Amino acid sequence: MAGIVTFDELGPVGLVCIDNPPVNALSHSVRLGLVDAITRAETSPGIKALLIMSSGELFSAGAEITEFDHPPVDPTLQQVQATIESSPIPVVAAIHGLALGGGLELAMACHYRLAHKNAKLSMPEITLGIIPGAGGTQRLPRLIGARAALDMILSGTPVSALDAKANGLVDEVAEGDLRDTALSFCERLLHDGLGPRPTCNHAFVGGLDDAEIAATLLSHARALKGRTTQNLAVEAIKASKLPFAQGIAIEAALAQKSLASRESLALRHLFFSERDAGKLAGLSSAKTKQTQPPAIRRVAIIGAGTMGTGISMAFADAGLEVLIKDNDPAALTRSREIVQSTYASSVRRDRITQSVADERIRRIRSTIDLAAVADADLVIEAVFEDMELKKKILLKLDSLLPPERLIATNTSTLSVTELAGATAHPERILGLHFFVPAHASKLLEVVRTDHTSPESLSTAIRVAKLLKKNAVLSRDAFGFIGNRMMLDGYFREAEQLLLEGATPAQVDTALENFGFAMGPQRVSDLGGNDVGTKARIQLFKRESRPNPYFVIADRLTEMGRLGQKTGRGFYRYEHGSQEALPDAEVIDLIEELALDRDIRRREIKNEEIVERCILSLINAGAMVLEEGIAARAADIDVVWTSGYGFPRYLGGPMFYADTLGVSHVLERIRDYHEKLGHYWRPAGLIEQLAAAGSSFEQWDRTAASRY
Ligand code: COA
């Protein structure tokens, strides 16, 4: 680990530099290196001030998250901070890029702080279900005030260097070279005779009464729905008005409690799963880097419908040049109008500035000439779901583009294998399954066929990274990962429960209370019942499978009750409103359909709704795994939390199954199998794991050998 923290004497200033790629996490070796460097500085008679900086892209991403699963090893970050705060010479932190969590806590323990003008500072611990545990809840209030500190800790979002200067978090913002500015700052300190200024000795800034706490919690209520970490953060911040040593002890106990919480285990599971989802044995990013894959700068999209337009914005947002092609000039005009109105709305909501919007709109050009896409680095076909039309387009693209360029099809229902087979280079064809709205959804399913080359997969994963989306690899199969589990599990069960006696509002509310962003019937009404019906027809045709399950949704489509867009669906909607109002006509319809099927309606408890919907989702997920459609249970968790509204703090359906215990899951599924019949057959994988006393997490450990 030599060189992970370096120490140089620059005249009277000792420069400590953290060099722990990729993100300068404050691992045990870094902490050892820091203590060592500080000791050296203090024992070097010529050193009068200490400057802590980092190399690479960012100051520090904070604590080494993998260490959270183990007992702390000395020196802890708190011990490093105590060494800094008690140092007899002034210690200055100079921040560039990002200072996150423990990284910012390290800087806050320094006596002075500088930040480059482009730097961002944040306390993102809440996104991992933990509270800052290295003095963040005690020093931040002393620097910026208790209410601002609570707000920053609950939001987890970064503040800019300029805002940090304004609120007292940093002392100076460097416009030019950070190292030069920081060295001059240190010299000024020495010249002015300014010595150590431990943050722990700062007077407590401002109180925090119950009304202010309630108001701050309320302002984050939506993001923190179903969560509990915020309560621990409040307790810790409240303790910051106590003497520092007392406050820090309370923080330590609360931080430990947060680390052990189920919420934190779930969120940390997702942190690593999201990063691992795009990784495949033999397909590491290192390999990708070695082979120097071509850069992706220009993207062409075929088809200017809803998906094509959304995808064009996703790429424009990521800074790429986009060419959108459609035969129909009117479709291109409509697409442009949607792009303009979407960006205008982002400007109105202060999400982006007008100049950023203008730049993004400028990046999207349009054409009616297919040949114009020939110089694109990547082409995505996004015309409507018609096998013959898509085949024709892919064939043309295959002849237009050099064979090493990636061609993707955006389909959610058709066989990518069949589409790829229509071209001369099936190895460079894969599916990119975007989710509506394509520019905002975090999920991208990358669909591989048996012919897709590793290079094509690597490129697709890089594309997802450019778009800041979570890429999950799926084999080409009915519904890929997410829709398969939705149709064969979750949504199917929700419809069944309606026939047996529940109402749409009851099903939706029960699942929203469980933690889903939106219940299944509200989702159907939002997306359009006709869209669901069409997709199911295509999908079930693909498999030649009967589809006896979606009788209500399909009947609503027949009746023209397409959802929000027609003002009626599973619910009714007042003109211009998205509020889902119960509709007696729908209940009558459900009763009639139940009668036709000899289903005797009964009162159904909310617990049964949740249990059946979630267990059927888990069961379908296990089938997706045993059939090799998804490589890892953790991939399924990423799909469902980033694309289908499953609550992140429960870690995803398969993590949740482990929380319940696979044996318990099996027992409950068997019970429903007995009561409800064949479609509740337990997945073989669940039986296998339960018999072995194992879990999905353990099964994942052997994933590399399977895929
Ligand atoms: N501890 C350990 N590993 C970390 C880490 C941390 N605090 N932060 C990031 N990493 C790892 C990632 O797991 C990833 O590893 P991999 O390449 O083996 O998959 C690698 O660093 C790069 O991270 P990634 O997120 O893929 O890169 P990015 O450039 O998109 O984002 C960050 C970088 C720092 C913005 C992002 O990783 C992040 O937000 N990290 C978490 C910060 C945090 O919550 N800190 C609080 C802890 S106190």
Side-chain angles (χ1 to χ4, degrees):
M1 284 296 164
I4 208 161
V5 176
T6 57
F7 178 73
D8 286 299
E9 297 194 17
L10 303 176
V13 180
L15 174 62
V16 176
C17 186
I18 303 170
D19 184 10
N20 185 24
V23 294
N24 291 321
L26 301 174
S27 62
H28 181 238
S29 354
V30 170
R31 301 194 302 272
L32 271 177
L34 282 170
V35 172
D36 189 43
I38 298 163
T39 314
R40 273 179 68 189
E42 285 173 10
T43 49
S44 304
I47 297 297
K48 306 290 181 213
L50 197 62
L51 174 60
I52 300 181
M53 298 186 71
S54 296
S55 57
E57 307 265 299
L58 72 171
F59 179 71
S60 171
E64 169 60 57
I65 300 172
T66 52
E67 288 181 9
F68 289 173
D69 295 330
H70 312 286
V73 182
D74 290 350
T76 61
L77 186 51
Q78 292 87 330
Q79 288 164 339
V80 177
Q81 292 168 319
T83 313
I84 291 173
E85 281 197 321
S86 61
S87 172
I89 58 173
V91 184
V92 179
I95 296 165
H96 75 289
L98 296 167
L100 307 180
L104 182 53
E105 286 174 304
L106 173 71
M108 285 195 286
C110 294
H111 304 134
Y112 301 89
R113 281 157 298 282
L114 274 85
H116 185 264
K117 69 171 192 298
N118 297 332
K120 295 215 158 75
L121 298 81
S122 89
M123 303 296 294
E125 285 87 345
I126 193 129
T127 58
L128 296 173
I130 55 177
I131 66 161
T137 64
Q138 306 303 301
R139 291 190 183 89
L140 193 58
R142 283 173 166 78
L143 290 167
I144 69 172
R147 177 157 188 183
L150 181 62
D151 192 53
M152 198 167 156
I153 288 170
L154 294 191
S155 79
T157 51
V159 294
S160 68
L162 284 176
D163 287 343
K165 167 87 171 66
N167 71 14
L169 187 49
V170 302
D171 300 286
E172 194 165 311
V173 173
E175 293 284 332
D177 184 77
L178 180 64
R179 188 176 125 131
D180 290 349
T181 313
L183 285 171
S184 312
F185 183 88
C186 291
E187 278 158 19
R188 250 187 359 258
L189 284 181
L190 297 178
H191 178 265
D192 296 344
L194 293 172
R197 190 190 57 172
T199 311
C200 61
N201 294 346
H202 283 216
F204 177 72
V205 190
L208 188 63
D209 63 30
D210 287 349
E212 283 176 314
I213 292 173
T216 313
L217 281 170
L218 189 65
S219 66
H220 298 288
R222 194 153 170 247
L224 296 173
K225 181 188 154 207
R227 301 278 311 272
T228 56
T229 318
Q230 63 275 30
N231 303 328
L232 301 177
V234 167
E235 286 313 303
I237 294 271
K238 274 180 170 175
S240 65
K241 63 174 181 286
L242 301 171
F244 187 77
Q246 258 175 280
I248 210 93
I250 292 175
E251 180 199 78
L254 292 166
Q256 210 43 50
K257 196 167 165 188
S258 71
L259 257 182
S261 68
R262 271 180 34 176
E263 199 166 304
S264 169
L265 292 175
L267 291 165
R268 283 186 274 145
H269 160 74
L270 285 176
F271 178 85
F272 289 110
S273 303
E274 284 166 359
R275 282 154 184 83
D276 287 346
K279 293 179 192 156
L280 189 56
L283 238 196
S284 70
S285 53
K287 181 178 169 190
T288 313
K289 273 176 205 144
Q290 279 163 21
T291 53
Q292 292 275 316
I296 307 271
R297 292 197 191 89
R298 290 175 309 257
V299 177
I301 292 150
I302 316 296
T306 309
M307 272 330 273
T309 304
I311 297 170
S312 74
M313 288 190 279
F315 281 100
D317 292 353
L320 281 85
E321 296 298 321
V322 184
L323 182 63
I324 184 160
K325 188 264 160 197
D326 202 295
N327 284 341
D328 179 6
L332 289 171
T333 307
R334 267 195 312 276
S335 167
R336 187 150 196 86
E337 284 164 3
I338 293 171
V339 167
Q340 282 166 337
S341 69
T342 307
Y343 285 130
S345 142
S346 299
V347 172
R348 269 197 309 279
R349 283 184 285 159
D350 273 342
R351 299 246 168 99
I352 50 173
T353 61
Q354 187 60 52
S355 68
V356 168
D358 293 343
E359 179 58 27
R360 291 181 185 179
I361 292 169
R362 189 205 57 72
R363 280 192 204 119
I364 305 175
R365 291 177 303 114
S366 61
T367 182
I368 51 165
D369 176 15
L370 188 63
V373 310
D375 66 348
D377 302 312
L378 159 70
V379 182
I380 301 173
E381 164 288 299
V383 300
F384 54 89
E385 299 279 66
D386 178 319
M387 179 62 89
E388 291 316 309
L389 177 64
K390 281 186 186 270
K391 275 187 184 168
K392 216 167 84 187
I393 291 170
L394 288 175
L395 195 60
K396 275 193 197 153
L397 291 173
D398 195 31
S399 61
L400 268 175
L401 273 93
E404 69 283 359
R405 304 256 179 89
L406 182 65
I407 301 175
T409 171
N410 172 67
T411 178
S412 56
T413 58
L414 301 175
S415 159
V416 180
T417 308
E418 190 176 338
L419 288 167
T423 70
H425 299 97
E427 71 284 353
R428 51 105 156 236
I429 313 279
L430 46 68
L432 286 182
H433 183 206
F434 285 85
F435 289 75
V436 181
H439 62 290
S441 170
K442 286 293 286 174
L443 177 62
L444 183 63
E445 281 183 330
V446 176
V447 184
R448 67 188 304 202
T449 73
D450 288 346
H451 304 290
T452 312
S453 69
E455 291 73 24
S456 301
L457 289 175
S458 292
T459 306
I461 289 158
R462 270 194 304 125
V463 167
K465 185 112 183 145
L466 281 176
L467 300 179
K468 296 197 167 50
K469 292 189 189 294
N470 296 323
V472 178
L473 288 169
S474 169
R475 290 264 177 207
D476 179 29
F478 172 93
F480 312 136
I481 298 173
N483 284 349
R484 159 78 187 275
M485 290 171 65
M486 184 173 88
L487 293 175
D488 275 357
Y490 181 57
F491 268 42
R492 183 174 75 182
E493 202 55 27
E495 275 242 354
Q496 189 63 27
L497 283 155
L498 294 181
L499 291 173
E500 289 178 33
T503 65
Q506 192 194 356
V507 170
D508 283 342
T509 308
L511 289 158
E512 285 159 15
N513 288 341
F514 170 78
F516 269 96
M518 202 185 261
Q521 271 83 45
R522 277 195 251 275
V523 168
S524 299
D525 272 3
L526 183 66
N529 288 315
D530 54 330
V531 175
T533 297
K534 264 191 221 144
R536 285 190 294 272
I537 291 172
Q538 288 274 16
L539 272 167
F540 285 96
K541 194 166 82 186
R542 168 182 175 157
E543 298 284 296
S544 309
R545 272 172 53 169
N547 168 21
Y549 296 110
F550 292 89
V551 286
I552 306 169
D554 289 345
R555 181 67 75 81
L556 291 174
T557 300
E558 267 170 46
M559 292 162 71
R561 297 190 66 120
L562 307 185
Q564 282 192 20
K565 61 187 169 189
T566 56
R568 293 179 326 147
F570 278 97
Y571 298 91
R572 62 185 181 83
Y573 302 85
E574 301 287 347
H575 183 67
S577 160
Q578 294 188 328
E579 191 189 350
L581 302 166
D583 190 337
E585 197 180 305
V586 174
I587 308 294
D588 290 346
L589 170 73
I590 294 172
E591 283 171 358
E592 178 197 317
L593 290 169
L595 199 66
D596 290 350
R597 283 158 185 76
D598 280 338
I599 298 174
R600 199 165 53 82
R601 284 170 57 82
R602 63 189 166 92
E603 194 186 317
I604 298 187
K605 293 214 161 24
N606 293 341
E607 295 76 30
E608 181 178 339
I609 293 173
V610 170
E611 186 176 56
R612 283 175 54 179
C613 287
I614 301 303
L615 288 179
S616 58
L617 182 63
I618 292 168
N619 205 30
M623 290 180 187
V624 159
L625 288 172
E626 66 194 15
E627 290 167 26
I629 297 165
R632 287 167 288 232
D635 290 358
I636 291 179
D637 291 335
V638 175
V639 166
W640 273 79
T641 50
S642 48
Y644 291 81
F646 191 98
R648 286 182 65 80
Y649 57 87
L650 296 179
M654 310 320 279
F655 182 91
Y656 187 65
D658 279 351
T659 315
L660 296 174
V662 178
S663 300
H664 171 79
V665 167
L666 177 61
E667 196 184 300
R668 298 302 301 131
I669 290 177
R670 279 189 175 146
D671 191 46
Y672 285 121
H673 190 205
E674 251 169 51
K675 285 187 196 137
L676 299 167
H678 73 282
Y679 82 99
W680 268 91
R681 176 183 63 81
L685 179 59
I686 294 187
E687 290 176 320
Q688 182 193 320
L689 293 179
S694 186
S695 64
F696 286 107
E697 197 241 329
Q698 282 173 11
W699 193 77
D700 270 3
R701 294 198 200 136
T702 56
S705 59
R706 277 196 306 271
Y707 211 57

